[in-house]
Amino acid sequence: MTATVDFSLSLAEQCAAIWEATDRAHDDLERMRRVPPLVRLWTGGNADLAHLVECENKARWEDPDNDTGPGVLKMDFSLPQAQWLNDMYGRIKRGEKRNVLVSMDYMGNRWSGLLEEVSVDTDELGYSELTATFLSDFEQLKTKLLWATPTMPAIFQPIKVFGLAGPAPWVCEAALHINLVRENSSLLTFPDDPMNPSSWWTGYDMANWTVVVKPTSFMEWMSRGVPWAILTSRFKYWHEAAQSILADAELSLRWRRWFTGDPPPWPGAKVRHGALVVWIEDKSGVEAGTANGGTLFDGLFRTIRQYTEDFVENLEEQITDMPVVADYRIPGKRLTDARVPYVYYPPDSPGVRRSSFKQRPARAVQLVTGGHSMPGVNETMSALTQGIFDIVGNALQIGSIGGSIDAMLKPFYEDCVAGDTIIHGPDGDERIDVLAARGRPFRVWSLTPDGHRVPATAILAFKKGRTELFEYVLDDGRAIKATHQHRFLTREGFMRGSAVVVGTEIATVDHDDLPRRAIEVAAVKVEDAQYENLRETSALTFRKVVSVQSVGIDDFYDMHVPGWENYSANGFWNHNTILAWIAVKLFQRAQVSGDFRYFEYFIASAGKAYTLDSLMVLRAGAFETRTIFSGSMEITNAAPYAIGASGVGHFDKGDRVATRIPGDLTRRIHVERVSKTVLEWDPDKFPEYEIVLGGERLQEDPLARLMRHIDKARSDLKEAGVF
């Protein structure tokens, strides 16, 4: 409600009117809190309403951010609702189907999910009570696989790794939507932006889908300034691919069952009764600037997220402006703006019944990941990068983003040559900068350890940036420009350019004098040691270096040849970039951690090193080992605030909340996002909330934590192809 002040009244009368309006607002809010939650049971067939639940002994609904939460109903077993829940075979016989949907509506929010199990317990007096356990609808999303080639049947998956790049919310939504199309349609093609509703056509009818994604286009997410992300999957479940991206970008996945009579989930939407509508919200404010702590003495301070040069570590840069949120000045309007938290729970807040706070300092200061890349990963990432550039093209002035990607890759690669270097191959000779611009795999000549020339496939040709190049000239006049880190094949094996001097003998090849051979494929990576002390052959001649000179700063390029790990360019035998292990030090974290600290943290990544995907793996590792603050508070009706949907409650899951630790003499204010809400009631207790702030995993049960790690290990093994 809103209040107006009649300035013709005296000051005392105005104060009385304001006080009266305030009392009315409080009374209205209290009446909303006292409205009992609406709990309904629906059939699993057509989502027909089966029962209202009104005589439960206890109800508890957990709603964690970006994960599954359990819901529990306890009731007298003699009640018809309990009998119906227990009668699985009767539901099947009546055509209602085995599964049961539950929905719980309270304060504008809706918790919904599927029945997981029922149990009936009988005490010594013969009293029987049924306990029904439900899992929230996020669990349904955990069964959605991201196929490597979603437009093709399972027997034919030519693309080995599915990938998308773009704004973090868009890649998560689009990946899910594309695979929902696969599940519900036989279409073999997609529009450039599958999340733009203007590109949908008649055959793209979602009216009968059980899960739909609320559309938000690529350009709309770009305009909101959200961070970019890269999503890849080798038959991962959607949540496995998306959860680290959502966590890193501090995004909240939202979902809501739509029932007939509800407002449409978006303008013009045509969805099925009972359909699960999914979308992503950015409640963090980290990219636009948000409150990030402070003290009672100095007030809140605001920060905006920046990134280190390698894009692995986050930096929080303090900003001085404090925006005025006009909505906060409208009486009766309840919401939270991510830039400035509205809700503050001090230690003496009347609504807080109990609290628990935990903090964990950041751990390792160096991240390690890698191993040799799986077949197909690098092909996909190279084609993916070029494909995304082609899609968004001039609209995004992608050159700046391309420069950022160059900067991300630069620390990870070593062997580099000038852009005018001629790459030799069975299909002809071409400059490496031209091959990089094409963004497609190509064939090269490689050298086997027994001195034979064989065709091989090269991938991931790319521009790496600008650095000092050196020209290496041989006694027969041939020359090549490369960095000092580039490796040439010599009589002693592969040697870095920095060790090459006048008189060093380097391996060369004259392709015009060699016959074609059958294609040979290296089954595994050929180790560098196998190329030591080679004898000359028809494909291998050693020439002396007569000059090594700097040619100044210029663009430099590189490529990867899986298996043989080498290629011919300008008549030289050259080592390619190695796809092995990455070790990245977090300098900002190291500076504040002190000399006595944890050092390394290994991130399982199915061997996908030195690709754009590895950047996301490293960021996930930095997030996993970050400093964590976690708080748990049991709040009587969230007083003096209300938890609920925006406009109904002051805040909800995902919103930022400020609080202080009781007894903390520093009086530091902690601002954290609500990572979980728990609503609970019984016949003797009105609905009451418990909220968890910040790092929910610090509050996690040890057994639950163990099971989560087991699930993570299974996911890593599946991604590596073990399962």
Side-chain angles (χ1 to χ4, degrees):
M1 62 172 289
T2 59
T4 58
V5 178
D6 185 354
F7 291 100
S8 65
L9 301 176
S10 67
L11 180 59
E13 291 172 328
Q14 291 180 37
C15 291
I18 293 172
W19 188 263
E20 182 181 352
T22 302
D23 281 343
R24 284 199 304 270
H26 287 167
D27 291 343
D28 289 343
L29 186 57
E30 191 61 27
R31 279 193 292 271
M32 291 178 62
R33 288 197 183 107
R34 298 300 184 186
V35 174
L38 174 63
V39 181
R40 293 175 285 182
L41 301 175
W42 312 79
T43 66
N46 296 314
D48 297 321
L49 180 61
H51 289 281
L52 296 178
V53 179
E54 297 178 313
C55 300
E56 65 274 21
N57 296 335
K58 184 176 181 179
R60 179 181 173 89
W61 312 94
E62 294 189 22
D63 193 12
D65 200 27
N66 300 331
D67 208 345
T68 302
V72 176
L73 279 174
K74 292 179 178 288
M75 62 186 77
D76 189 324
F77 188 45
S78 64
L79 292 174
Q81 296 94 329
Q83 293 290 320
W84 184 78
L85 283 169
N86 189 64
D87 187 17
M88 179 174 62
Y89 298 103
R91 293 197 302 272
I92 296 173
K93 187 175 180 179
R94 293 188 296 269
E96 297 167 343
K97 305 302 180 183
R98 177 188 294 112
N99 286 345
V100 174
L101 278 170
V102 67
S103 64
M104 186 279 298
D105 293 75
Y106 183 64
M107 294 292 287
N109 280 333
R110 174 173 293 162
W111 193 105
S112 59
L114 286 171
L115 178 66
E116 177 69 8
E117 66 177 26
V118 294
S119 63
V120 179
D121 300 296
T122 305
D123 63 17
E124 66 275 9
L125 300 177
Y127 172 74
S128 296
E129 182 182 58
L130 177 136
T131 301
T133 302
F134 304 86
L135 295 180
S136 65
D137 282 321
F138 191 94
E139 189 70 14
Q140 187 172 346
L141 300 180
K142 288 184 176 181
T143 65
K144 305 297 183 183
L145 278 171
L146 300 183
W147 285 27
T149 311
T151 58
M152 296 295 179
I155 197 171
F156 182 61
Q157 294 284 293
I159 300 176
K160 302 304 181 185
V161 179
F162 172 84
L164 287 174
W170 181 86
V171 297
C172 294
E173 292 178 341
L176 177 59
H177 178 74
I178 288 170
N179 282 271
L180 290 175
V181 174
R182 171 184 60 80
E183 178 183 338
N184 293 278
S185 172
S186 60
L187 298 175
L188 296 180
T189 58
F190 295 97
D192 286 344
D193 184 357
M195 297 310 298
N196 187 346
S198 65
S199 64
W200 296 352
W201 56 91
T202 305
Y204 212 78
D205 186 7
M206 301 187 300
N208 292 315
W209 295 12
T210 58
V211 180
V212 297
V213 181
K214 186 185 296 187
T216 309
S217 71
F218 185 101
M219 296 306 299
E220 185 175 345
W221 278 120
M222 284 292 295
S223 66
R224 297 184 188 181
V226 295
W228 267 54
I230 298 156
L231 181 148
T232 61
S233 169
R234 188 171 181 253
F235 273 83
K236 284 182 182 178
Y237 286 108
W238 176 82
H239 79 281
E240 295 171 349
Q243 273 186 318
S244 61
I245 294 175
L246 296 173
D248 180 56
E250 296 193 30
L251 300 168
S252 293
L253 184 79
R254 306 304 299 269
W255 62 90
R256 185 180 178 92
R257 288 275 171 192
W258 185 87
F259 298 118
T260 302
D262 291 343
W266 67 87
K270 295 180 180 179
V271 296
R272 175 180 178 174
H273 169 74
L276 182 63
V277 181
V278 180
W279 70 99
I280 292 175
E281 291 183 2
D282 180 12
K283 292 188 170 187
S284 68
V286 294
E287 300 293 325
T290 184
N292 194 25
T295 68
L296 285 183
F297 308 108
D298 303 318
L300 292 175
F301 63 83
R302 300 183 69 238
T303 61
I304 188 167
R305 177 172 292 174
Q306 304 290 338
Y307 301 94
T308 52
E309 183 178 352
D310 58 10
F311 288 83
V312 174
E313 196 171 6
N314 294 338
L315 301 176
E316 302 295 335
E317 180 179 327
Q318 188 166 349
I319 52 179
T320 57
D321 69 303
M322 183 66 72
V324 175
V325 181
D327 286 338
Y328 287 169
R329 299 185 175 183
I330 301 176
K333 192 163 187 178
R334 294 183 287 271
L335 54 84
T336 286
D337 188 300
R339 299 172 298 168
V340 183
Y342 180 79
V343 174
Y344 171 52
Y345 284 109
D348 57 353
S349 176
V352 178
R353 297 179 58 181
R354 64 172 184 83
S355 64
S356 171
F357 296 95
K358 297 180 181 180
Q359 298 182 66
R360 189 200 73 184
R363 297 181 68 82
V365 299
Q366 182 159 295
L367 307 176
V368 180
T369 190
H372 193 269
S373 294
M374 298 182 301
V377 171
N378 299 303
E379 295 96 325
T380 300
M381 296 313 299
S382 178
L384 164 65
T385 304
Q386 187 63 43
I388 292 295
F389 289 177
D390 291 342
I391 290 173
V392 297
N394 295 332
L396 300 181
Q397 296 183 345
I398 205 68
S400 60
I401 297 175
S404 298
I405 292 176
D406 288 339
M408 289 188 278
L409 289 171
K410 184 176 179 179
F412 302 148
Y413 297 91
E414 297 175 328
D415 299 275
C416 320
V417 294
D420 60 1
T421 302
I422 303 299
I423 307 300
H424 307 296
D427 304 316
D429 299 340
E430 188 58 271
R431 288 169 53 123
I432 191 172
D433 54 2
V434 174
L435 294 169
R438 289 176 184 167
R440 298 191 298 271
F442 53 93
R443 294 206 298 166
V444 299
W445 291 118
S446 289
L447 184 72
T448 67
D450 58 1
H452 292 300
R453 181 189 72 164
V454 293
T457 299
I459 55 176
L460 205 66
F462 51 89
K463 176 184 172 183
K464 296 168 66 174
R466 295 177 64 82
T467 192
E468 185 177 14
L469 298 179
F470 297 83
E471 185 175 44
Y472 300 83
V473 182
L474 304 183
D475 56 12
D476 64 352
R478 74 183 75 194
I480 191 171
K481 289 178 286 186
T483 67
H484 259 173
Q485 295 301 309
H486 186 71
R487 281 170 291 180
F488 301 97
L489 182 58
T490 70
R491 290 191 182 275
E492 291 75 31
F494 284 104
M495 179 184 294
R496 294 201 182 277
S498 57
V500 172
V501 296
V502 172
T504 302
E505 292 186 311
I506 289 182
T508 65
V509 58
D510 294 308
H511 295 285
D512 293 340
D513 299 332
L514 294 177
R516 275 185 178 271
R517 290 176 57 86
I519 294 178
E520 297 182 29
V521 178
V524 296
K525 179 180 181 293
V526 179
E527 299 299 331
D528 290 356
Q530 296 179 251
Y531 288 92
E532 295 177 1
N533 302 315
L534 296 184
R535 295 181 179 179
E536 291 191 352
T537 66
S538 60
L540 176 63
T541 304
F542 290 99
R543 300 282 187 180
K544 288 186 178 181
V545 175
V546 296
S547 172
V548 179
Q549 291 185 344
S550 172
V551 292
I553 305 297
D554 204 348
D555 296 339
F556 61 107
Y557 293 76
D558 208 346
M559 69 169 74
H560 176 56
V561 184
W564 300 118
E565 307 293 333
N566 65 74
Y567 63 94
S568 169
N570 284 21
F572 291 68
W573 285 117
N574 306 271
H575 202 291
N576 74 165
T577 192
I578 290 181
L579 303 188
W581 304 98
I582 305 174
V584 176
K585 190 166 186 178
L586 305 178
F587 291 103
Q588 298 293 328
R589 182 182 294 181
Q591 288 178 0
V592 299
S593 294
D595 294 336
F596 301 94
R597 63 202 182 196
Y598 297 108
F599 183 52
E600 288 181 318
Y601 178 73
F602 179 79
I603 312 135
S605 59
K608 301 186 298 295
Y610 299 91
T611 63
L612 286 172
D613 187 57
S614 67
L615 176 69
M616 303 307 297
V617 172
L618 290 167
R619 286 194 58 81
F623 180 85
E624 183 72 20
T625 58
R626 74 197 188 284
T627 297
I628 298 178
F629 174 88
S630 175
S632 175
M633 295 188 292
E634 183 179 329
I635 306 169
T636 305
N637 283 330
Y641 307 100
I643 297 178
S646 182
V648 178
H650 295 97
F651 71 105
D652 197 6
K653 179 184 67 177
D655 286 321
R656 290 189 176 274
V657 171
T659 187
R660 284 196 294 122
I661 300 175
D664 182 3
L665 298 181
T666 67
R667 299 195 174 185
R668 177 172 177 78
I669 298 174
H670 298 272
V671 180
E672 297 290 343
R673 296 176 66 215
V674 177
S675 56
K676 182 169 76 171
T677 63
V678 181
L679 179 64
E680 186 175 15
W681 71 84
D682 59 42
D684 299 322
K685 181 173 72 174
F686 283 106
E688 291 188 357
Y689 271 104
E690 177 182 347
I691 64 173
V692 176
L693 306 178
E696 180 192 348
R697 290 178 182 175
L698 285 186
Q699 309 287 341
E700 191 173 40
D701 177 82
L703 181 58
R705 185 182 300 117
L706 174 62
M707 296 306 297
R708 177 170 52 80
H709 285 310
I710 291 174
D711 287 343
K712 173 75 165 55
R714 287 176 59 87
S715 172
D716 292 336
L717 289 172
K718 176 163 62 67
E719 180 75 357
V722 176
F723 293 162

